[in-house]
Amino acid sequence: MARRATKAPPSSRDDLDARKAAILQAVVNEHVDTAQPVGSSSVASNADVVVSPATVRSEMVALEREGYLAQPHTSAGRVPTDKGYRYFVDHLQSGVLGSAQQHQVKEFFANVRGEVEDVLEQTSMLLTQLTSYTSVVVGAGHSNSTVLSVQLVNLDARHQLLVTVFSDGSVVKHSIVSAFDVKHVDVAEASRQLNALLIGTTLHTRVQVPSRADHVATLVRDAVSVLHAEQPTSDGEQVFIGGSSKVAEVFDGVETVRKVLGILEQELLVVSLVQDILDQGLSVAIGAETGYEPLSSCAVIVAPVTIDGLPAGAVGLLGPTRMKYREAMAAAQVVSQQLTRHYAGDDERG
Amino acid sequence: MARRATKAPPSSRDDLDARKAAILQAVVNEHVDTAQPVGSSSVASNADVVVSPATVRSEMVALEREGYLAQPHTSAGRVPTDKGYRYFVDHLQSGVLGSAQQHQVKEFFANVRGEVEDVLEQTSMLLTQLTSYTSVVVGAGHSNSTVLSVQLVNLDARHQLLVTVFSDGSVVKHSIVSAFDVKHVDVAEASRQLNALLIGTTLHTRVQVPSRADHVATLVRDAVSVLHAEQPTSDGEQVFIGGSSKVAEVFDGVETVRKVLGILEQELLVVSLVQDILDQGLSVAIGAETGYEPLSSCAVIVAPVTIDGLPAGAVGLLGPTRMKYREAMAAAQVVSQQLTRHYAGDDERG
DNA sequence: TATTAGCAGTCAATTCTACCGAGTGCCAAC
DNA sequence: GTTGGCACTCGGTAGAATTGACTGCTAATA
């Protein structure tokens, strides 16, 4: 077990000597291409590997023992494990987008207009087009935004609608059911008071609500509480998922397809999946790293989007562990950067 | 071809005598259950068919000639064609929901609160739970609604947000990019004028915009045009799709799954699919009747939702042509009725 | 000592064959 | 018109044989 290294010492626990690394990379590249287990001879024919198949074989035995490769069955080639992909990704020199794709991205961001929601949704489609993987775009919640305006509107005597505009350009509505018939003048007055109370605050800000028992005060209290109640569930993040049909293209087993779609259906879960990966400081989660068993054969690539240096969402790509990491990561990165720049107060505002 | 009928005359072009009908129904029922071609003997053992397999066989030959059944290959049983399913559906005595499911629906509608969007989304989940099929809920556009309130909000000097509240409780926002720096007082004044102009109108109403060249008038013109521009694309309908992962459960071929998911991704297309079926006065579209080739092995069940007698959306279910029509149609019908009742000005307002 | 060629062994995938059996169409009998 | 009987068809399955892409091991080599 404890063999002494001669030239390139496997310095610590997670480093392979140059030859093993080259072999591992060859295996990953080949397997991503063909979806088949790869054998020693095809590795040996790789330009970066200058030894014979026999040597490759003995190295592969070592790589398997160390958990980077696995063998589906005795007389088959090797397949990368999650750990193998992890090593591959960690030692990947970041790629660049093909020029056609770069052009496509440029063109896209030069031409998008409209509401943030539309831009984000279209961005997700763009990502899917670029990579052929399912994409996710998460828009930030308005927890950092301040209130620009609130307005109470009478739907009928018992039902009011609270419309709040935030500084990030998002608009939310909340309906209020009153226990008493509300007069128009009261709504107008409550609206006025709410504006005075809330403009400039965030959802976190504690505000002093009137404690009187009259109709207007009750309306104001109800409005504030319904607005601030939004907190716990979700911060109003928006999720846009593009190309879920790619799931059926990219995974083989129907069972896998079902499980992955089942995850994608739950938007809150997708948000926290992306968030968790970012929180761990990762840009890729492979297999079990995603934290969700149904995604054990998936890899998720994420890239944060910021506005004025603050986190403001993320873009993501979901594919099989056997995915084209270099290209996909490049795409995610470029798009997230462009998106960041697009909202850097530059010109357009959603 | 022109055979004279003795007892139950096949009155016109689309009617089968009682025996053929019984056989067709038996085939459909069996096939829906087993997903296998159905043979003469298993049909003959059905309680509603009182003849021998040999007789069944000769009838099945006739049914095949008339296009109700098909034979995958010579020595296999029969499978219903789209036409066969169509006959089956047309002559289906409407079923009722199981009591457990009825209870579930009651409970659901007794407890839902909140914004229309949330209710509709949850309704779609309910439908999926009830039937195990993918469900679609389409919320009406606000083409019939009147404007309750409009408000212009300054995001910054060059960007304004137009927030419009409709009588159906929906809120839409539109962003406006100004060619000049806008003062707050101008925004307030424009807001006032817009309210005077638009309250009570629908999106179809022609309004008289000021033709002056000053900043306020320009803002008002921009706001009106951006609001009315919404028309052509979509009426602001909302689509909620639940249980798209069921697609992978219910269809066998990965290719079919991909095609169907590809359709479901295009929300506008889903809206018009549902709308087309309703416009044809149908409640079920089978195979080619859907009008979309990728859905050729699908059936779509729809049921309209009304508010005050006016169409206000629809619920739908998408499954394989080989689907449990009775149960699914019952579910769609019950849910659409409950939804209609729920918004019949009863108590809660979204 | 590291590398390599050679070789025997393993095992999934493929092909072939035979066969079974579900189901048909036809026909003669009822 | 209905039925039982019968020969026929043909997809699906099961088993055996074959293939071939691998491996691990070992002995020779640099």
Side-chain angles (χ1 to χ4, degrees), chain B residues 38-45 49 51-57 60 77-78:
Chain B
V38 181
S40 56
S41 59
S42 78
V43 169
S45 67
V49 179
V51 290
S52 76
T55 309
V56 171
R57 280 203 286 280
M60 296 214 298
R78 267 30 180 238

Side-chain angles (χ1 to χ4, degrees), chain A residues 138-293:
Chain A
V138 181
H142 24 246
S143 54
N144 295 321
S145 306
T146 56
V147 173
L148 277 189
S149 134
V150 286
Q151 191 184 10
L152 209 54
V153 178
N154 235 8
L155 293 177
D156 59 46
R158 291 299 185 95
H159 299 95
Q160 285 76 41
L161 202 65
L162 177 71
V163 179
T164 313
V165 181
F166 289 89
S167 57
D168 65 346
S170 61
V171 177
V172 291
K173 66 168 181 176
H174 297 274
S175 50
I176 295 173
V177 184
S178 300
F180 47 86
D181 284 5
V182 175
K183 294 199 211 80
H184 273 276
V185 286
D186 289 346
V187 170
E189 173 57 25
S191 228
R192 209 165 3 249
Q193 293 190 14
L194 282 167
N195 267 295
L197 215 52
L198 293 172
I199 283 182
T201 67
T202 74
L203 285 183
H204 301 294
T205 314
R206 287 230 158 278
V207 298
Q208 189 74 33
V209 293
S211 55
R212 285 164 292 127
D214 61 75
H215 285 186
V216 171
T218 308
L219 268 178
V220 170
R221 273 199 304 276
D222 285 356
V224 170
S225 81
V226 85
L227 180 61
H228 283 189
E230 182 153 302
Q231 284 288 59
T233 71
S234 86
D235 245 4
E237 296 100 342
Q238 306 153 311
V239 199
F240 302 92
I241 295 179
S244 42
S245 70
K246 299 289 181 185
V247 172
E249 280 178 23
V250 139
F251 294 97
D252 7 66
V254 182
E255 187 52 23
T256 312
V257 174
R258 217 213 71 240
K259 285 199 281 187
V260 174
L261 287 177
I263 294 280
L264 288 178
E265 268 175 25
Q266 298 161 263
E267 303 204 333
L268 257 67
L269 197 152
V270 172
V271 174
S272 68
L273 166 67
V274 169
Q275 200 51 56
D276 286 354
I277 299 174
L278 284 176
D279 288 350
Q280 287 173 53
L282 295 177
S283 62
V284 184
I286 298 164
E289 293 174 357
T290 60
Y292 294 92
E293 193 281 321

Side-chain angles (χ1 to χ4, degrees), chain A residues 6-7 19 50-55 57 73-75:
Chain A
T6 44
K7 319 168 191 175
R19 195 167 71 183
V50 288
V51 291
S52 76
T55 310
R57 280 203 286 279
H73 58 85
T74 318
S75 71

Side-chain angles (χ1 to χ4, degrees), chain A residues 25-78:
Chain A
Q25 280 178 3
V27 171
V28 170
N29 283 325
E30 177 93 7
H31 180 67
V32 166
D33 252 37
T34 64
Q36 298 293 326
V38 342
S40 55
S41 60
S42 78
V43 169
S45 68
N46 183 299
D48 295 342
V49 179
V50 288
V51 291
S52 76
T55 310
V56 171
R57 280 203 286 279
S58 67
E59 291 287 52
M60 297 214 298
V61 170
L63 283 168
E64 183 170 2
R65 197 176 39 225
E66 294 166 40
Y68 295 96
L69 296 178
Q71 214 173 6
H73 58 85
T74 318
S75 71
R78 296 323 204 276

Side-chain angles (χ1 to χ4, degrees), chain A residues 115 151 169 173 175 244-245 265, chain B residues 151 169 173 175 244-245 265:
Chain A
E115 315 304 316
Q151 191 184 10
K173 66 168 181 176
S175 50
S244 42
S245 70
E265 268 175 25
Chain B
Q151 192 185 9
K173 66 169 181 176
S175 51
S244 42
S245 69
E265 268 175 24

